[in-house]
Amino acid sequence: MRFRQHFLTSIVFFASAVSASAYSSVYVVSAGITGNGVFGTINLASGAFEQIGPGEPDGYFGLASGPNGSLVSLTYAANLDSINPATGVPRRIGATGLGACVIPSAACGPNSVFSLGGVNGKLFATDFQNNVYAVNASTGLATLLSDHSGIPASPFVLGSQNPDGTLNFGDEAIWGSGGKLYLTFDAFVFNPNTATVVKEVVAPKLYEIDPGSGLAQVIGPTDLGIGGATDVNGSSYALDDLTNQILSIDLLTGGASVAGSFDTAAGVVNGVTATPEPSTIAFAIAGAIAICAMRRRRILTARE
């Protein structure tokens, strides 16, 4: 009886510890000072950023859970990368077939790769026109779902510079929550000298996307500057690149409330996903139960 109480107490304690710490951090990909892709974690409680691994010279767009516990992201060169969560080392899966835009210029066409996200184990991507694609996690190939998604197209080449020195930026986040697929998008002109938004060209809005057809419907206005968002225990959190704030997103209205702030060392966030996955927590608890059961059998065998 005493062993059973100890056994149950251990499991409850372990489960509580895992669930409490499981989502203290989220994985992020961002643009570093040199423009390369940076991978790491941001602690949602403290806002601290920790880089993991060497990053990706071609840059990262979007972040989602991949097969076998990996993470996946698009590169500016329109390839799909698998990222090892422990080491941050990227592995090339394959070309998406979308256009590349490594250096913002007139060569970046309307079908240049934009962002990536996922829901229910499936991957989805967008281009500068905000066409929606399904992405094969094994090959990287993108298949067009809708070329009239209902999401405004980018009004300019993202990251391009204007004659007056201002820059053309856009933010997009794609993520799944409650089995549904969501997306936020905005576009604006930014003055790097004053670090201010000169003109809001496309107002920020939250959309729900039909994963089958790629068609989107507007939910409501949201905050400008959302570079990545993810589901955390049934709640959606986003990282705002303009304010360095951690936002809580209301999926019924698009409204955002401030939940904290994150370290500017993270750079310009281009994708977020929670860590670990809920299934990882379940496996961890199941493993703890198995270990405790083995110990119990050993004790009983020793007494015989």
Side-chain angles (χ1 to χ4, degrees), residues 72-163:
V72 291
S73 181
L74 296 174
T75 70
Y76 298 171
N79 295 307
L80 185 70
D81 271 11
S82 172
I83 305 173
N84 185 310
T87 65
V89 175
R91 178 182 64 83
R92 184 60 40 80
I93 294 176
T96 61
L98 298 174
C101 189
V102 178
I103 300 175
S105 67
C108 299
N111 293 116
S112 294
V113 64
F114 191 6
S115 194
L116 176 83
V119 66
N120 297 332
K122 297 181 179 180
L123 301 178
F124 299 90
T126 56
D127 59 19
F128 281 7
Q129 293 188 106
N130 269 322
N131 298 323
V132 178
Y133 300 80
V135 179
N136 188 309
S138 299
T139 66
L141 186 64
T143 301
L144 180 66
L145 293 179
S146 174
D147 58 359
H148 295 87
S149 66
I151 306 167
S154 175
F156 34 57
V157 173
L158 298 169
S160 59
Q161 187 173 25
N162 300 309

Side-chain angles (χ1 to χ4, degrees), residues 163-184:
D164 62 358
T166 57
L167 301 172
N168 300 313
F169 286 148
D171 296 294
E172 188 158 277
I174 308 173
W175 76 102
S177 181
K180 296 181 179 180
L181 187 64
Y182 296 94
L183 178 148
T184 59

Side-chain angles (χ1 to χ4, degrees), residues 18 22-23 25 27 64-66 68-71 118 120-121 176 230-231 233 272-284:
V18 170
Y23 291 105
S25 295
Y27 289 121
S65 297
N68 303 318
S70 67
L71 299 174
N120 297 332
T230 188
D231 179 276
N233 282 338
V272 184
T273 192
T275 170
E277 292 296 303
S279 58
T280 304
I281 299 174
F283 282 129

Side-chain angles (χ1 to χ4, degrees), residues 8 29 41 53 67 81 101 127 130 137 145 147 159 163 165 170 183 194 216 231-232 234 248 250 263 282 292:
L8 293 176
V29 289
T41 61
D81 271 11
C101 189
D127 59 19
N130 269 322
L145 293 179
D147 58 359
L183 178 148
T194 60
D231 179 276
V232 179
S248 175
D250 186 335
D263 191 346
C292 289

Side-chain angles (χ1 to χ4, degrees), residues 3 7 10-11 14 283-299:
F3 178 84
F7 172 76
S10 299
I11 293 302
F14 180 84
F283 282 129
I285 294 175
I289 293 174
I291 292 172
C292 289
M294 290 175 62
R295 289 177 178 173
R296 181 174 185 273
R297 284 197 296 269
R298 289 176 182 174
I299 291 174

Side-chain angles (χ1 to χ4, degrees), residues 13 35-36 40 63 94 104 109 111 124 145 155 177 179 218 239 256 276:
F13 175 79
N36 64 314
L63 187 64
N111 293 116
F124 299 90
L145 293 179
S177 181
V218 177
L239 301 181

